[in-house]
Amino acid sequence: MLAAEDAAEVQRWAPVSDAEVDEPAEAEAPPLLLRLSHLAEVLAERVDDVPEGERRAFFHILDSVLADGGQSERDAVATGFLESLMAAADRGFDLRRVWHELGTHLRQYCRDWNAFTGIQSPDWMRSA
């Protein structure tokens, strides 16, 4: 489901065909940060549509990128995905539903983000 949503988001970024040359214009993918932000929003809205095993695999990849990826990839995971997921939690998404599925680096970033923004992380975040 997340892969399909990502593909649809990339397609939405594709420019409209140029009618004069009768060929599709070259597609340009949105920046990774925006793609991951979109996926966080979709996940928060449709968490039950993504099987737990698939969520865990996705979070494992993001955790690995946050730990060992290049700077732009780490920024995309942190700012794009995690901060969007935290914002969804502020709007009512129950982050506890997936907290146990997040890897060590993802959880630590969430706690660090709370500290940076002056919010005390709840007990369930600190005990994990």
Side-chain angles (χ1 to χ4, degrees):
M1 190 274 290
L2 292 176
E5 282 293 330
D6 183 52
E9 182 70 4
V10 168
Q11 185 61 36
R12 281 189 286 278
W13 271 68
V16 179
S17 297
D18 186 347
E20 289 184 23
V21 293
D22 223 12
E23 292 180 19
E26 253 184 66
E28 183 176 319
L32 180 60
L33 185 141
L34 294 180
R35 290 170 69 183
L36 289 176
S37 178
H38 174 71
L39 288 178
E41 292 170 10
V42 168
L43 182 66
E45 291 171 6
R46 299 176 53 195
V47 68
D48 292 329
D49 294 341
V50 183
E52 183 177 339
E54 291 179 23
R55 289 191 315 255
R56 283 182 183 274
F58 180 64
F59 292 144
H60 176 74
I61 292 167
L62 294 180
D63 197 66
S64 296
V65 170
L66 194 57
D68 300 318
Q71 187 63 49
S72 63
E73 291 83 11
R74 290 192 319 263
D75 290 345
V77 170
T79 305
F81 187 81
L82 289 173
E83 290 177 22
S84 292
L85 195 64
M86 298 286 283
D90 291 342
R91 294 187 308 270
F93 170 65
D94 187 0
L95 186 57
R96 287 177 291 188
R97 295 190 62 196
V98 297
W99 185 254
H100 66 283
E101 299 166 9
L102 300 179
T104 305
H105 298 95
L106 297 177
R107 288 190 308 258
Q108 187 59 51
Y109 185 87
C110 292
R111 289 186 293 260
D112 291 346
W113 179 250
N114 279 344
F116 175 76
T117 59
I119 297 171
Q120 183 174 358
S121 293
D123 290 340
W124 57 265
M125 267 189 178
R126 292 191 312 257
S127 64

